[in-house]
Amino acid sequence: MPTRAAASPAAFAALDLGTNNCRLLVAAPAGPGGFRVVDSFSRAVRLGEGLESSGLLSDAAMDRAVAALEACAQKLSRRPIRGLDAVATEACRRASNGHIFLARARAATGLPIRIIGAREEAALAMASCAPLLNPTDRRALLFDIGGGSTEIAWVRAGTSEQPAELIGYTTMPLGVVTLAERAGASCFTPEGFEAVAAEVATELVRFDAVHSIGREIAAGGVRMIGTSGTVTTLAGVALSLPRYSRSAVDGQVIGMVEADQALAELFRLGRAGLSAHPCVGPERVDFVLPGCAVFAAIRRVWPTATVTVADRGLREGMLLRLMRATPPRKR
């Protein structure tokens, strides 16, 4: 999977405009089925700010997002790009003016940005995380706690001849931004935190009833994989990192006891402590505990001994798909 490197002329680009962040990843193929990152961009744009109450993207949020997209377009203009995919997710899916905003963004930047559905989002996350599976894994339960939604993917592990397969998926309009706006400061209290966890658990039980995931977990051979800022933050705390490091976190298998201890530590810190924590910071202080409440619900419904942490997801899956669909250049 990705490693950092100098610029390459044979570059591919993936852009993800989410509910909270605008992220760009530019990479070149490297080795069999891998790539090396040659450029990146990330900015918190808070596109979904106020969406929970109004059903609309606000003018200020759209302005911030367009400015970030223009910065991405400028980056892309500096190098030859063989393939580009640019997508928008839950905020634009839910907003009544999502399509109007994207028309404006395309006109301003020239980027062919499009809205993708929850199934495609889950499949792309699965593609990026499939290398974390072991030959002994029969199934994988992949969760992505995003800004505007949480996606759960139930995956049949692949073999050397057969790639991993998406058996089922579900999406809930319960992400860290929407929960933070709705629950507010209540997530900093035991009662408020429990209320969010119980709400999410109710939704997860319905998905479990369809696929009998709990029974499969009890039978063994099921790997739980988490990809989101919530789970990578928990891993950073569990590993006692002095500052967040992708290379130290991506692919780590964390025991649930350690993950629970990290969650308890984040809850104990409170707002001031979270703001000062090197793996959180002031920009994410309002979102960490809502995300932890979603994680607590996942733990409650599907008790596994470990969680595999993935600092990869939508953009990496987009890049892999682009590279596989593009024939290599002839010498």
Side-chain angles (χ1 to χ4, degrees):
M1 285 301 292
T3 55
R4 298 279 165 184
S8 166
F12 294 80
L15 189 152
D16 167 23
L17 179 62
T19 302
N20 197 44
N21 295 290
C22 176
R23 295 188 177 103
L24 172 71
L25 205 58
V26 183
F35 59 81
R36 51 193 173 92
V37 173
V38 299
D39 203 356
S40 64
F41 174 89
S42 180
R43 182 182 295 175
V45 296
R46 308 189 310 281
L47 180 61
E49 185 176 61
L51 176 60
E52 180 71 11
S53 58
S54 70
L56 296 167
L57 304 177
S58 70
D59 290 339
M62 290 189 288
D63 289 345
R64 290 192 298 265
V66 168
L69 291 170
E70 287 174 337
C72 291
Q74 290 174 3
K75 270 185 172 288
L76 293 172
S77 69
R78 299 182 191 127
R79 69 175 72 247
I81 300 295
R82 292 196 65 197
L84 165 67
D85 197 6
V87 304
T89 55
E90 183 67 12
C92 289
R93 285 198 294 259
R94 290 182 62 194
S96 301
N97 57 345
H99 288 280
I100 296 172
F101 160 69
L102 287 185
R104 172 192 165 188
R106 285 190 289 264
T109 66
L111 295 170
I113 190 166
R114 61 191 178 88
I115 298 174
I116 60 170
R119 181 181 180 85
E120 184 176 358
E121 191 172 351
L124 288 167
M126 179 193 71
S128 70
C129 293
L132 298 176
L133 295 172
N134 288 341
T136 55
D137 296 328
R138 297 185 303 108
R139 300 281 189 272
L141 182 64
L142 172 65
F143 65 89
D144 181 359
I145 306 169
S149 63
T150 294
E151 275 72 44
I152 308 288
W154 182 228
V155 179
R156 180 179 292 111
T159 65
S160 55
E161 295 82 22
Q162 185 74 25
E165 178 187 356
L166 185 64
I167 301 172
Y169 76 99
T170 188
T171 183
M172 302 175 290
L174 302 170
V176 298
V177 175
T178 51
L179 287 171
E181 288 191 357
R182 195 201 318 162
S186 68
C187 268
F188 287 85
T189 68
E191 297 78 14
F193 187 94
E194 172 56 29
V196 171
E199 179 185 359
V200 175
T202 300
E203 296 295 323
L204 298 178
V205 166
R206 296 191 182 101
F207 186 62
D208 181 80
V210 174
H211 296 285
S212 301
I213 297 169
R215 189 171 64 191
E216 292 278 5
I217 289 172
V222 176
R223 179 177 296 273
M224 181 178 282
I225 303 176
T227 170
S228 67
T230 296
V231 73
T232 56
T233 298
L234 284 170
V237 174
L239 295 169
S240 300
L241 297 180
R243 63 181 180 278
Y244 184 78
S245 166
R246 180 195 179 277
S247 61
V249 165
D250 184 53
Q252 282 284 344
V253 179
I254 305 294
M256 282 300 184
V257 172
E258 289 73 26
D260 288 344
Q261 290 171 345
L263 192 156
E265 171 66 12
L266 289 170
F267 190 85
R268 183 193 64 79
L269 286 171
R271 183 180 296 276
L274 290 172
S275 182
H277 196 285
C279 292
V280 181
E283 280 195 346
R284 298 180 56 235
V285 68
D286 291 319
F287 307 136
V288 171
L289 291 184
C292 286
V294 176
F295 176 76
I298 292 169
R299 283 275 290 113
R300 185 176 305 174
V301 176
W302 297 305
T304 60
T306 63
V307 59
T308 298
V309 180
D311 190 342
R312 60 181 80 187
L314 188 58
R315 292 171 303 155
E316 289 82 359
M318 293 159 64
L319 286 170
L320 290 171
R321 183 171 65 180
L322 280 169
M323 292 173 187
R324 288 167 184 163
T326 305
R329 283 177 168 167
K330 294 181 179 179
R331 291 184 180 273

